[in-house]
Amino acid sequence: MTQNVQKLIVIGAGQMGSGIAQVAAEAGLRVLLNDISEAYAAKGLNRIRANLERNVSKGRLTEAEMDAVLGRISLSTTLNDAADCDMAIEAATENLDIKLQVFRTLDETMPAHAILASNTSSLPITEIAAVTKRPAQVIGMHFMNPVPVMKLVEVIRGLATSDEVYQTVYELAVKMGKTAVEVNDFPGFVSNRVLMPMINEAIYCVYEGVATPEAIDEVMKLGMNHPMGPLTLADFIGLDTCLAIMEVLYEGFGDSKYRPCPLLRKYVKAGWLGKKSGRGFYQYD
């Protein structure tokens, strides 16, 4: 048995949240795009509009289809709007306290049948579920960035997640045009547990003077056939986000192999966060 999800609220209208809202609306769902202010929510909608317009100009979408997708998205600035939604996908800042507060509020506001999902990239679903009265209906739905392009969704079962909720979310991911992969709730799941230590090790290679960032990226691109080198990727993800995930891995497993490189900490303290701040391992105009 699976549930019928028709109306969805996405919490957080940043890059991830707006991408999730876009693919949900493209899949025919009615979507509320929620953020703490009208300006943030509108910025998210503008990002979606720009993505869709690009698809129209490339002939992947008609004007009418674009209008239909945009017509299914409404903006929201209060979680009270979740009262008539079948599901929520939280894509707020990667901060456990913020997420727990959002989930407490959603749990009080949403109908009894509603599913609560988190797009967290590393925080424990079981711990998030524990602050609600419906842990069986809490699940992780970790999309990759940029959401409209990347095919993968890690569907993360918490300790109490029911089979019905898992199956519903799995099918919803497929309906959104994604490939869903089942993952159990451990720090970093699969994607970041494998990716982040690789990025961290690449940073250690810079820190220890093994090679320049350009050389390290070139080795991984040409030698391992990666589309992008690990240090370029780190700059794209945001070095603050990389550090936060390494901290989660380090705390969660207590294993020294997850120790964040001191150079990563130094860059984050200096405000060198990568592409978004104009400077990371590379400089951006």
Side-chain angles (χ1 to χ4, degrees):
M1 265 298 283
T2 58
Q3 288 172 229
N4 186 11
V5 177
Q6 291 180 326
K7 190 172 182 188
L8 171 73
I9 185 166
V10 178
I11 294 97
Q15 205 171 358
M16 294 303 286
S18 61
I20 294 166
Q22 179 182 325
V23 296
E26 286 174 333
L29 277 72
R30 284 181 298 138
V31 182
L32 281 176
L33 183 57
N34 170 283
D35 213 311
I36 50 177
S37 76
E38 191 74 50
Y40 285 140
K43 194 176 168 189
L45 185 59
N46 288 338
R47 192 182 283 125
I48 294 170
R49 188 177 284 112
N51 280 346
L52 295 173
E53 282 170 353
R54 200 174 307 119
N55 287 340
V56 170
S57 70
K58 289 180 178 170
R60 293 184 195 140
L61 208 63
T62 66
E63 288 271 359
E65 285 167 337
M66 176 178 83
D67 293 342
V69 171
L70 289 171
R72 286 192 281 271
I73 303 171
S74 319
L75 299 184
S76 156
T77 54
T78 167
L79 292 181
N80 294 336
D81 292 340
D84 65 345
C85 293
D86 302 307
M87 183 172 171
I89 301 178
E90 168 275 317
T93 313
E94 194 69 351
N95 172 307
L96 188 60
D97 292 334
I98 291 171
K99 289 189 190 295
L100 294 181
Q101 195 44 56
V102 167
F103 272 77
R104 283 188 195 100
T105 307
L106 290 173
D107 187 38
E108 285 162 17
T109 309
M110 294 187 78
H113 73 273
I115 294 170
L116 312 185
S118 176
N119 175 55
T120 178
S121 55
S122 61
L123 295 168
I125 299 302
T126 302
E127 198 174 331
I128 292 170
V131 301
T132 73
K133 295 183 186 71
R134 60 178 94 190
Q137 287 154 258
V138 177
I139 196 163
M141 205 176 181
H142 179 213
F143 290 81
M144 303 294 135
N145 191 12
V147 177
V149 177
M150 299 291 275
K151 282 291 182 204
L152 176 71
V153 176
E154 284 184 304
V155 181
I156 299 113
R157 283 178 181 259
L159 210 49
T161 308
S162 75
D163 289 342
E164 182 190 358
V165 165
Y166 169 77
Q167 202 54 44
T168 300
V169 170
Y170 180 94
E171 285 175 21
L172 185 66
V174 172
K175 191 175 170 183
M176 290 177 182
K178 304 301 175 195
T179 299
V181 177
E182 180 177 357
V183 177
N184 282 318
D185 186 23
F186 283 93
F189 315 133
V190 171
S191 53
N192 282 319
R193 184 173 175 176
V194 175
L195 172 67
M196 285 301 160
M198 181 186 77
I199 286 176
N200 197 49
E201 200 58 39
I203 297 169
Y204 266 111
C205 287
V206 178
Y207 178 59
E208 291 167 8
V210 178
T212 64
E214 290 82 357
I216 293 161
D217 279 354
E218 203 67 4
V219 166
M220 295 307 288
K221 281 194 300 188
L222 300 181
M224 286 53 184
N225 209 16
H226 290 190
M228 184 187 287
L231 298 167
T232 303
L233 181 56
D235 275 358
F236 271 63
I237 292 168
L239 300 187
D240 50 342
T241 304
C242 293
L243 178 58
I245 296 168
M246 284 308 298
E247 297 281 22
V248 167
L249 290 169
Y250 191 40
E251 281 170 38
F253 291 114
D255 188 328
S256 62
K257 73 179 176 183
Y258 300 114
R259 183 171 62 101
C261 178
L263 186 63
L264 176 59
R265 288 192 194 281
K266 193 176 192 175
Y267 276 25
V268 171
K269 283 190 176 134
W272 293 10
L273 306 180
K275 197 164 188 290
K276 62 185 169 188
S277 71
R279 172 106 203 227
F281 288 97
Y282 299 95
Q283 266 188 291
Y284 303 87
D285 294 334

